[in-house]
């Protein structure tokens, strides 16, 4: 049975805090995946959904009503199960606009009138959540292993559905969209004599409600139904087994079906959809993606500028990826192409360049040319790691387009510091840091139309080589010397041999470049 917000509020530890539900709804239907404590205003990007957020509201001190509305909207958008605000330490009543915003966005809001140590709440709740989740994962792993063996062994349709029923310890049936039973047992009609089903309301291990169903196929051609046994893992098992049924029995065959399954997996991982690792590995292998010995998995993001009204070159990208990397899963989202593939680590940068050139040739041959930019996320050990690699590749692609528009290929590690600072580029602390380090130069450039900040940037980029920096700036060395002397005077000295001084200036220049390029991730109202 799922642990819900209602269960949480009924715990003795929470009852002592005298909880008051200000915005509710059906709290018994709000499943709790985790309990998190934070006073950070911009916490929502760090959440995955299903959390109960405990806070004293410290991060909301001084926030305007629009900022509070944005805070609530971001939590609701992440699927947070509920917000619990402890009164007394920071606020005696909820801050203005919080209740209205929670009601507008459907976010349950509970205030605690008594002090409760948040660490005691997490210590009490997390073991309950972890135990249930581990049981589900263990169950899914067991079924995944057996179904994977069946896929490799060429099990027939009837044998596969019988194996699904055996693995899930319940009756299983596959139905057409019009409700015709295609394979297995008639779960919807109550099941044949001797099936594992039983009367509604029976004890655990027998049916207690309508069947648990999952669509079969990207464009569903059937439905897999499992008799309800009240097993917590059953919905996840139904989805897993439906995918296996589609791979073995789907009406399409060969590369077309594999490509569609691969694209679905890439899109789900790139969007941050939570998928059990075992499910990802099975789906990736079924779609043809399995790293060979010595290879790792990597996510790529591709931006194409094509002539006229030509749509993104999905086919050309797939052809180029397969030609260079071998097995590759390709999908299109928001005008960008995403690729999941494998590569030997030391060959990544070279293969990326080969891929860009091969894609150039494909585009020349198919649509008359185009401009290609490719970014690679971090290398990961298996396809499950694409949930990290693909979003990083997209971030790197967007940053490269703004900061180094002439680049054709980029690794996420090349722009790692930019990705780190992108989330706080509007933060007041970063603003103060840039001003502390470069304020005198920025003021001088603004008053005199000088280029002292770009000069310092070019000098550090050149590894403190005056010759290279002068060439990059297009000025004479004497001009560069004069500028560096002026920079040293305005900064009260310029000891770039000191690692800490050099690092601080370099980071400040990164912040300056990002502000100048308007590369932000706005998370505040």
């Amino acid at each position: 049975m799922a642990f819900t917000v209602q269960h949480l509020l009924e715990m003795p530890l929470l009852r002592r805090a005298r909880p008051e539900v200000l915005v509710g709804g059906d709290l018994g239907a709000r499943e709790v995946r985790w309990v998190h404590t934070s006073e950070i205003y911009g916490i929502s990007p760090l959440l995955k959904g299903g959390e109960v957020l405990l806070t004293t509201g410290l991060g909301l001190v001084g926030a305007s009503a629009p900022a509070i509305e944005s805070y609530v909207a971001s939590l609701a958008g992440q699927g947070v199960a509920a917000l619990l605000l402890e009164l007394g330490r920071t606020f005696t009543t909820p801050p203005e606009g919080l209740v209205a915003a929670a009601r507008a966005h459907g976010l349950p809001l509970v205030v605690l009138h008594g002090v409760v140590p948040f660490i005691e709440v997490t210590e009490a709740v997390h073991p309950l959540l972890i135990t249930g989740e581990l049981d589900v994962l263990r169950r899914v792993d067991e079924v995944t292993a057996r179904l994977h063996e069946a896929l490799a062994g060429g099990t027939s349709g009837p044998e596969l559905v019988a194996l699904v029923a055996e693995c899930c310890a319940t009756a299983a049936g596959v139905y057409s969209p019009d409700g015709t039973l295609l394979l297995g047992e008639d779960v919807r009609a109550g099941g044949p004599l001797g099936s594992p089903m039983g009367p509604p309301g029976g004890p655990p291990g027998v049916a207690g409600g309508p069947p648990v169903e999952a669509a079969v196929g990207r464009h569903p051609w059937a439905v897999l139904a499992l008799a309800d046994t009240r097993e917590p893992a059953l919905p996840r098992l139904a989805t897993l087994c439906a995918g296996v049924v589609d791979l073995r029995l789907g009406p399409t065959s060969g590369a077309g079906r594999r490509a569609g399954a691969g694209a679905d997996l890439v899109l789900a991982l790139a969007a941050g959809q939570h998928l059990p690792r075992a499910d990802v590995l099975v789906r990736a292998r079924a779609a043809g993606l399995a790293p060979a010995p010595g290879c790792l998995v990597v996510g790529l993001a591709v931006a194409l500028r094509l002539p006229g009204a030509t749509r993104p070159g999905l086919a050309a990208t797939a052809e180029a990826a397969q030609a260079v990397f071998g097995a590759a899963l390709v999908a299109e989202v928001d005008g960008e192409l995403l690729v999941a593939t494998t590569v030997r680590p030391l060959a990544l940068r070279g293969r990326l360049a080969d891929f860009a050139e091969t894609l150039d040739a494909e585009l020349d041959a198919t649509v008359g040319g185009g401009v290609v930019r490719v970014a690679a996320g971090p290398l990961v050990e298996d396809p499950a790691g694409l949930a990290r690699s693909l979003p990083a590749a997209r971030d790197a692609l967007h940053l490269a387009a703004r900061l180094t528009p002439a680049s054709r290929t980029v690794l996420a590690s090349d722009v790692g510091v930019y990705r780190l600072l992108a989330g706080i580029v509007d933060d007041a602390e970063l603003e103060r840091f840039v001003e502390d380090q470069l304020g005198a130069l920025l003021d001088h450039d603004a008053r005199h139309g000088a280029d002292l900040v770009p000069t310092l940037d070019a000098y550090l980029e050149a590894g403190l080589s005056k010759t290279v920096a002068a060439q990059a700036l297009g000025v004479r060395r004497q001009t560069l010397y004069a500028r560096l002397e002026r920079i040293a005077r305005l900064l009260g000295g310029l000891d770039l041999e000191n690692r800490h001084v050099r690092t601080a200036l370099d980071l400040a220049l990164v912040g300056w470049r990002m502000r100048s390029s308007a590369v932000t991730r706005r998370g505040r109202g």
Side-chain angles (χ1 to χ4, degrees), residues 201-229:
V206 299
V212 176
E213 299 187 350
V216 178
R218 181 180 182 184
H219 302 290
W221 59 270
V223 174
L224 172 67
L226 301 176
D228 181 22
T229 60

Side-chain angles (χ1 to χ4, degrees), residues 180-467:
T180 301
L181 179 65
L182 302 176
L183 289 169
E185 302 179 31
D186 194 357
V187 175
R188 289 174 170 175
L193 186 64
S195 77
M197 297 182 63
V206 299
V212 176
E213 299 187 350
V216 178
R218 181 180 182 184
H219 302 290
W221 59 270
V223 174
L224 172 67
L226 301 176
D228 181 22
T229 60
R230 296 181 178 178
E231 180 181 359
L234 203 61
R236 194 175 294 180
L237 290 175
T239 301
L240 170 66
C241 294
V244 173
V245 170
D246 180 52
L247 288 169
R248 178 62 69 213
L249 305 174
T252 58
S253 62
R257 174 151 50 93
R258 288 164 68 93
D264 284 348
L265 180 59
V266 168
L267 291 174
L269 293 171
Q273 182 178 337
H274 174 67
L275 297 174
R277 180 175 178 273
D279 292 16
V280 175
L281 298 184
V282 169
R283 290 174 61 179
R285 181 177 291 276
L289 183 67
C295 289
L296 295 177
V297 179
V298 66
L300 310 179
V302 183
L304 304 178
R305 191 163 71 243
L306 303 178
T310 306
R311 290 180 57 80
L314 182 62
T317 302
E319 288 288 339
Q322 289 165 8
V324 173
F325 296 102
L329 312 182
V330 183
E332 184 271 329
V333 58
D334 298 333
E336 295 173 355
L337 286 308
L338 303 180
V339 180
T341 189
T342 63
V343 67
R344 294 188 180 278
L346 295 180
L348 176 58
R349 201 177 290 273
R351 286 298 181 90
L352 211 59
D354 293 343
F355 175 52
E357 292 179 5
T358 304
L359 184 51
D360 269 340
E362 288 285 343
L363 295 174
D364 286 340
T366 55
V367 298
V371 179
V372 178
R373 178 178 290 111
V374 185
L379 293 162
V380 292
E381 291 190 356
D382 58 48
L386 288 167
R388 177 167 60 92
S389 188
L390 285 167
R394 297 192 73 188
D395 286 348
L397 187 71
H398 301 160
L399 287 167
R402 291 166 173 80
L403 296 167
T404 56
S407 63
R408 279 169 51 83
T409 61
V410 63
L411 305 187
S413 57
D414 296 339
V415 292
V417 69
Y418 294 99
R419 292 187 66 229
L420 174 66
L421 295 182
I424 60 170
V425 70
D426 286 337
D427 191 270
E429 190 62 33
L430 179 61
E431 182 80 20
R432 284 193 294 272
F433 177 70
V434 173
E435 289 297 326
D436 289 345
Q437 297 294 321
L438 302 175
L441 303 186
L442 292 167
D443 290 344
H444 184 276
D445 284 355
R447 286 197 308 270
H448 301 286
D451 291 315
L452 298 186
V453 174
T455 296
L456 180 59
D457 194 29
Y459 186 46
L460 288 174
E461 180 69 24
L464 307 186
S465 169
K466 295 181 175 64
T467 300

Side-chain angles (χ1 to χ4, degrees), residues 60-130:
L60 300 178
V61 173
S64 64
I68 290 176
E69 199 278 339
S70 178
Y71 171 79
V72 172
S74 64
L75 295 180
Q78 288 292 85
V80 168
L83 175 64
L84 270 61
L85 173 67
E86 182 186 279
L87 300 179
R89 301 192 204 186
T90 306
F91 295 100
T92 55
T93 59
E96 182 180 358
L98 183 64
V99 177
R103 188 172 292 114
H105 292 280
L107 177 67
L109 173 63
V110 180
V111 294
L112 305 177
H113 292 283
V115 175
V116 55
F118 288 170
I119 185 62
E120 293 184 14
V121 177
T122 58
E123 286 178 344
V125 174
H126 286 174
L128 301 176
L129 300 176
I130 291 172

